[in-house]
Amino acid sequence: MLTASKIKFIEFMMSADVLRFGEFKTKSGRLSPYFVNTGNYRTGAQISELGKFYAQCIKDTCGNNFDAMFGPAYKGIPLATSAAGALAREFDIDKPFFFNRKEAKDHGEGGSLVGYKPQDGDRIIIIEDVITAGTAVRETVPVLLSAAKVTVTDMFISVNRCEIGQNPNKTAVMEVKDEFGIDVHSIVDVRDLCEYLKENGNYTQVLAAMERYIEQYCKF
């Protein structure tokens, strides 16, 4: 259902040039009629507002029932940072956050993780932008499990593309749940985007391309 908060988030992404329509090659190699690039958030006001959307989704789903949040390098770093700030500011939920380096540091404190140091028994949530084929998740989970005996319970993303993963009968989100036991929660999904385009009425060609793409690659 396309709620007022979802419309607000979609228009927020469009105003920041984060949600774009056209033809884009995704990490999975598919030619997509839309693309979500959270790297286009570039102002303090934008990242502050984005954090509120993530914080609301985290609060509604997990409440206070987690120990730390992880932002995978690189795009997950500002996402986790802004979400942590908004959780503390808006809901008085003050949780530590951390992220990884692509290459381990061999001087100073060393290691590949920056910020909070995971402890055995921690319940960790991941903050990311989107899931297309699940490739990034498969790279991220080993990093966390090698840091400590943690449980990765939930993952929060901006947009669920609802696309099939390696198994043609399952979406990438379903595969993440089956392989790692992680529940993925999105602020909006591809159906919300299509519903928005329908209600707007100015995106006839884009909507047609979206519907063709969904027919070929998506599963609900």
Side-chain angles (χ1 to χ4, degrees), residues 4 57 91 147 155 157 212:
C57 191
F91 304 113
M155 181 173 182
I157 59 177
R212 288 193 298 269

Side-chain angles (χ1 to χ4, degrees), residues 9-21:
F9 184 61
I10 291 169
E11 292 180 342
F12 167 67
M13 287 192 292
M14 293 172 69
S15 69
D17 200 31
V18 167
L19 172 60
R20 303 177 67 186
F21 300 104

